[in-house]
Amino acid sequence: MNKDLLTIYNLTRDDIEEIFERADHLKMIREKGRVYQPLKGKILGMIFKKASTRTRISFEVGMYQLGGGAIYLNSSDLQWERGESIADTAKVLSQYLDGILIRTFAHEEVERLAEYADIPVINGLTDLLHPCQILSDIYTIKERLGEIKGVKIAYVGDGNNIANTWLIGAPKMGMDISIASPKGYQPNKEIVEKAILIARDNKSRVEIMKDPFRCVKDADIIYTDVWVSMGKEGEREERWEAFKSFQVNLDLIKRAKDSVLIMHCLPAHRGEEITSEVIDSERSIVFDQTRNRLHVQKGILEILLGGR
Ligand code: CP
Ligand code: NVA
């Protein structure tokens, strides 16, 4: 695997299988209550410029469970916020830490940090991508359905970091993906182009549309995310207007396969992008997704920081 994990685009299918294999093993060890500490003495620095519940806690707990430690770095406490360059920050952090997790706005900041850091940099979400989330989501689907090739995922809602990451992750693993988003909120164009090429190689399908009902037809999975991502709070009203017919509710899920599973990266805004009756239904696997964040990320940490 490369030094860093910034995007699923740079991972081979073998890299992803290796992460999943380690996640399976680490999950089994955890469930048996065994202690396994391959990262003893290693410290992960975790820079957050945005809020987080799952990413922060699962990475921090993951590091402790693997025998290492983690330092939460609120970006406003770093000299970076007062003008220290990203390059200098990366060089300094490389002298103290064994890895950096970063959640920020501009994806370019993560790329720049990785370029200048001698240690692994992991993308914990940018405005563009959220690779750790989608890797654990693919793992969750595999765990549930056994096979992922040919599985159809229908993403309904904002063409944001989650949609963009699915566009790379799904075709790479041979899954079909349909995305329905309103005009003006469709996924990143360059990523769509890349996704189409990956799909061509892997004989899968990528569709971008505006009709949520057509999107979920024959879907095995319906996935959604918030209408107002972090940093977009000022657009709340216009977004509500644009997204009101994109809610994942009972009426919509009826149009998919009877066996359809419902996914959401969380946090959810119940009554907005998804109704409570859907997210609390038997079809929902949102808390499996949450649980697997821990195991999959431990797999990533073990590989990147442990030098496997
Ligand atoms: N899904 C996810 O990344 O959640 P947090 O924002 O709570 O980390
Ligand atoms: N699209 C959401 C994902 C949160 C995990 C956001 O960026 O706020």
Side-chain angles (χ1 to χ4, degrees):
M1 227 163 109
N2 295 331
K3 171 176 86 71
D4 311 298
L5 202 171
L6 309 188
T7 160
I8 296 180
Y9 189 71
N10 294 340
L11 297 177
T12 64
R13 219 166 151 147
D14 284 349
D15 290 336
I16 298 174
E17 294 296 352
E18 186 190 1
I19 294 170
F20 290 177
E21 228 173 77
R22 293 316 299 161
D24 276 342
H25 186 70
L26 295 166
K27 186 169 183 173
M28 181 272 289
I29 285 179
R30 182 84 199 138
E31 283 169 1
K32 293 203 162 145
R34 285 201 219 138
V35 176
Y36 172 63
Q37 302 194 318
L39 298 188
K40 220 169 186 155
K42 306 255 168 144
I43 307 290
L44 180 74
M46 309 195 307
I47 304 174
F48 280 83
K49 292 201 182 191
K50 290 175 173 174
S52 171
T53 298
R54 282 142 287 265
T55 307
R56 179 201 168 166
I57 298 170
S58 54
F59 266 103
E60 194 163 335
V61 166
M63 277 305 291
Y64 286 115
Q65 288 178 356
L66 293 172
I71 307 175
Y72 175 74
L73 302 164
N74 187 324
S75 64
S76 59
D77 296 337
L78 296 176
Q79 298 287 10
W80 179 355
E81 292 275 293
R82 298 179 59 254
E84 185 164 20
S85 75
I86 296 181
D88 286 353
T89 304
K91 288 180 201 162
V92 170
L93 294 183
S94 298
Q95 301 185 48
Y96 305 134
L97 299 168
D98 301 285
I100 304 170
L101 168 74
I102 174 163
R103 167 169 288 196
T104 187
F105 295 87
H107 188 74
E108 295 70 31
E109 287 186 357
V110 177
E111 288 177 337
R112 217 169 147 70
L113 194 71
E115 184 186 339
Y116 287 95
D118 299 326
I119 53 177
V121 173
I122 302 172
N123 176 1
L125 180 148
T126 63
D127 288 347
L128 191 70
L129 296 171
H130 194 4
C132 297
Q133 176 71 51
I134 303 311
L135 286 171
S136 36
D137 292 341
I138 297 171
Y139 177 86
T140 303
I141 294 170
K142 194 170 177 211
E143 186 179 65
R144 265 292 171 138
L145 301 180
E147 181 56 62
I148 43 178
K149 199 163 170 47
V151 166
K152 174 178 171 178
I153 168 147
Y155 177 98
V156 176
D158 190 14
N160 59 16
N161 41 14
I162 296 291
N164 290 336
T165 314
W166 262 120
L167 271 171
I168 300 297
K172 192 157 257 199
M173 300 309 284
M175 300 167 77
D176 297 333
I177 181 152
S178 289
I179 296 191
S181 309
K183 189 164 175 276
Y185 297 95
Q186 301 230 312
N188 179 286
K189 273 209 180 84
E190 280 173 32
I191 293 183
V192 173
E193 282 166 18
K194 282 184 182 168
I196 291 169
L197 293 179
I198 302 172
R200 201 175 293 162
D201 287 345
N202 290 339
K203 299 192 173 44
S204 60
R205 282 164 67 110
V206 170
E207 297 176 310
I208 309 291
M209 58 188 75
K210 298 190 186 74
D211 179 354
F213 289 102
R214 185 158 77 85
C215 178
V216 303
K217 191 171 179 298
D218 298 324
D220 298 288
I221 311 281
I222 296 178
Y223 199 114
T224 191
D225 183 21
V226 289
W227 292 342
V228 183
S229 281
M230 290 180 278
K232 304 283 183 206
E233 291 80 2
E235 301 172 12
R236 195 169 180 81
E237 301 217 334
E238 65 225 58
R239 283 178 168 264
W240 265 51
E241 192 51 37
F243 284 105
K244 61 186 180 207
S245 57
F246 287 75
Q247 186 184 64
V248 174
N249 52 32
L250 286 180
D251 193 28
L252 184 73
I253 70 168
K254 269 189 224 143
R255 317 290 179 107
K257 283 188 181 163
D258 289 343
S259 57
V260 70
L261 297 172
I262 308 300
M263 299 180 79
H264 191 311
C265 55
L266 303 180
H269 286 190
R270 290 162 178 256
E272 294 182 22
E273 76 279 0
I274 193 162
T275 59
S276 279
E277 31 185 20
V278 170
I279 202 167
D280 294 332
S281 74
E282 281 181 354
R283 305 249 59 88
S284 166
I285 56 168
V286 298
F287 294 108
D288 291 351
Q289 291 175 254
T290 313
R291 187 176 321 111
N292 285 332
R293 291 289 302 274
L294 176 67
H295 307 298
V296 171
Q297 290 165 188
K298 280 169 73 180
I300 294 168
L301 289 168
E302 193 196 20
I303 295 166
L304 292 186
L305 273 62
R308 274 189 76 89

